[in-house]
Amino acid sequence: MVEVGGVAGDHLRQYIERIERLEEEKAGIASDIREVFAEAKGNGFDTKIMRQLIKLRGMEESDRQEQEYLLDLYKRALGIDFEPDE
Amino acid sequence: MVEVGGVAGDHLRQYIERIERLEEEKAGIASDIREVFAEAKGNGFDTKIMRQLIKLRGMEESDRQEQEYLLDLYKRALGIDFEPDE
Amino acid sequence: MVEVGGVAGDHLRQYIERIERLEEEKAGIASDIREVFAEAKGNGFDTKIMRQLIKLRGMEESDRQEQEYLLDLYKRALGIDFEPDE
Amino acid sequence: MVEVGGVAGDHLRQYIERIERLEEEKAGIASDIREVFAEAKGNGFDTKIMRQLIKLRGMEESDRQEQEYLLDLYKRALGIDFEPDE
DNA sequence: CTGCCATTTTACCGGC
DNA sequence: GCCGGTAAAATGGCAG
């Protein structure tokens, strides 16, 4: 890419403007997501837990199992039990 | 949030699904952005510089204002009560 | 706080310098922590799991239970099971 | 990491405990910093402005260099192959 | 595959 | 004491 102010420059500008437009859209959607969380929070839901849930749902089952397995393994290695009701 | 399987559960599900849909859209746009970068790269543009250009353009306003704000605070801290209008 | 360049200014400077010194120390320790993680990683440990473990250990038992309870509740509200071995 | 309760477990425990000790130190210093801010506030200083001052001082070098780097990239992007030394 | 960078998440602080 | 916004940490994704 050598030309500036010429054809290549125009192309560069077009790429950049397309990207900027897309990023605006992306930011708008991120804003929508924040709004939904805010609304849920306003109705008494715990957004932190909601985020955990969404992450779990999005996770491949195998990944989730692998992670649980490792965490359990490490707990054992440390001799921790973390009984739910103790 | 107390009901399970009842009204609250429905609301929760709706929030989660709305968010997941929005996140899909967002991921789609992120993918579009990547494609534009890839195309630009294929035409000989340096994507790293493009990213910096975009970042710079995005900062020009918001960040410059932040800088001015900081400088203003700084001046106030150095010149408190020296200005007539305080 | 009205004087600048006088007694109050000196005090301000001293406070700021004390804080900056403390923040340097803090940054140094943060760096040490990163090093330990890096070493552990080099010996085959999964640092993400380690972080989870450390967080669990540092958590109040009551908080941990509350969080687990809520996550379980929300899962039920969505009708998710997440059986460990299915 | 395969051994549990064996050598690997001991290593894990040692890493975790080292990190926890370091994090305690870090938390202690953070607490010191809070105290200094509190004392300054008690003597009539505005902690928000103090924080901005500290941030500004910290940015002066690193961030200014970043700005210069960005501007340099920018100029290169606008003037590629116009400079003799490229 | 490793390091880097952007995004996301968490923790903190000040105001109401 | 909560809530909002703001800074730090951590996770994930991408380029090289």
Side-chain angles (χ1 to χ4, degrees):
Chain A
M1 206 277 289
V2 291
E3 292 284 342
V4 172
V7 175
D10 286 347
H11 284 172
L12 178 60
R13 170 175 299 276
Q14 285 178 342
Y15 284 132
I16 292 204
E17 287 175 356
R18 275 169 69 193
I19 289 165
E20 283 175 340
R21 237 171 297 126
L22 288 166
E23 286 193 339
E24 272 179 49
E25 285 183 54
K26 190 154 76 83
I29 293 175
S31 168
D32 291 345
I33 291 172
R34 270 194 302 276
E35 278 180 42
V36 179
F37 273 117
E39 186 186 333
K41 182 177 189 171
N43 286 327
F45 292 99
D46 183 323
T47 58
K48 182 173 174 179
I49 304 290
M50 286 176 67
R51 288 176 200 275
Q52 287 187 50
L53 252 186
I54 290 168
K55 184 179 285 188
L56 283 174
R57 281 164 60 102
M59 237 175 175
E60 288 293 329
E61 184 62 16
S62 58
D63 291 344
R64 204 182 55 74
Q65 284 185 19
E66 171 70 8
Q67 191 159 336
E68 281 182 3
Y69 168 72
L70 277 179
L71 184 57
D72 184 61
L73 185 66
Y74 281 30
K75 283 180 186 173
R76 289 168 188 277
L78 282 190
I80 296 175
D81 50 5
F82 285 134
E83 286 300 325
D85 299 295
E86 187 172 358
Chain B
M1 209 278 289
V2 291
E3 294 282 342
V4 173
V7 174
D10 287 345
H11 284 171
L12 178 60
R13 169 177 298 278
Q14 285 176 344
Y15 285 132
I16 300 262
E17 287 175 355
R18 276 168 68 194
I19 290 165
E20 285 174 340
R21 234 171 299 126
L22 288 166
E23 287 192 339
E24 274 179 48
E25 285 184 53
K26 191 153 74 82
I29 293 175
S31 168
D32 292 344
I33 292 172
R34 247 175 285 127
E35 279 179 42
V36 179
F37 273 117
E39 186 186 333
K41 183 176 189 172
N43 285 326
F45 293 99
D46 182 325
T47 58
K48 180 172 180 180
I49 289 184
M50 286 178 67
R51 286 176 198 278
Q52 297 290 3
L53 270 175
I54 291 166
K55 183 197 275 188
L56 194 63
R57 283 161 61 103
M59 285 198 330
E60 299 256 302
E61 262 317 288
S62 66
D63 200 60
R64 208 177 47 75
Q65 287 177 359
E66 170 71 7
Q67 289 283 355
E68 280 177 8
Y69 169 69
L70 288 180
L71 283 170
D72 181 60
L73 276 181
Y74 187 65
K75 282 185 278 185
R76 283 175 54 206
L78 288 180
I80 286 170
D81 286 348
F82 287 4
E83 296 297 331
D85 58 6
E86 179 149 3
Chain C
M1 206 276 290
V2 291
E3 293 283 343
V4 172
V7 175
D10 287 347
H11 284 172
L12 177 60
R13 170 176 298 276
Q14 285 178 342
Y15 283 132
I16 292 204
E17 287 176 356
R18 276 169 67 193
I19 289 165
E20 284 174 341
R21 236 170 298 126
L22 288 166
E23 287 194 338
E24 273 179 48
E25 285 184 53
K26 189 154 77 84
I29 294 175
S31 169
D32 293 345
I33 291 172
R34 269 193 303 275
E35 279 180 40
V36 178
F37 273 116
E39 186 187 333
K41 182 176 187 171
N43 285 326
F45 291 100
D46 182 323
T47 59
K48 181 174 175 180
I49 305 289
M50 286 177 67
R51 287 175 199 277
Q52 285 186 53
L53 252 186
I54 291 167
K55 183 181 284 187
L56 283 174
R57 280 163 62 100
M59 237 176 177
E60 288 292 328
E61 183 62 15
S62 57
D63 291 345
R64 203 182 55 75
Q65 284 185 17
E66 171 70 8
Q67 191 160 335
E68 280 182 3
Y69 169 72
L70 277 179
L71 184 57
D72 183 62
L73 186 65
Y74 281 30
K75 283 180 187 172
R76 289 167 188 278
L78 281 191
I80 296 175
D81 51 5
F82 285 135
E83 285 300 325
D85 299 296
E86 188 172 356
Chain D
M1 208 278 289
V2 290
E3 293 282 341
V4 173
V7 174
D10 287 346
H11 284 172
L12 178 61
R13 169 178 297 278
Q14 285 176 344
Y15 285 132
I16 300 262
E17 287 176 355
R18 276 168 69 194
I19 291 165
E20 284 175 340
R21 233 171 300 126
L22 288 166
E23 286 193 340
E24 273 180 48
E25 285 183 53
K26 191 154 75 84
I29 293 175
S31 169
D32 292 345
I33 292 171
R34 249 176 280 127
E35 279 180 41
V36 179
F37 273 116
E39 185 187 331
K41 184 175 189 172
N43 286 326
F45 293 100
D46 182 323
T47 59
K48 180 172 178 180
I49 289 182
M50 286 178 66
R51 287 176 197 278
Q52 298 290 2
L53 271 175
I54 291 166
K55 182 199 277 189
L56 194 62
R57 282 161 62 103
M59 285 197 329
E60 299 257 301
E61 261 318 287
S62 65
D63 201 59
R64 207 177 49 75
Q65 286 177 0
E66 170 71 7
Q67 290 283 355
E68 281 177 8
Y69 169 69
L70 288 179
L71 284 170
D72 181 60
L73 275 180
Y74 187 66
K75 280 184 280 185
R76 285 175 52 205
L78 288 180
I80 286 171
D81 284 349
F82 286 6
E83 296 297 332
D85 57 7
E86 180 150 4

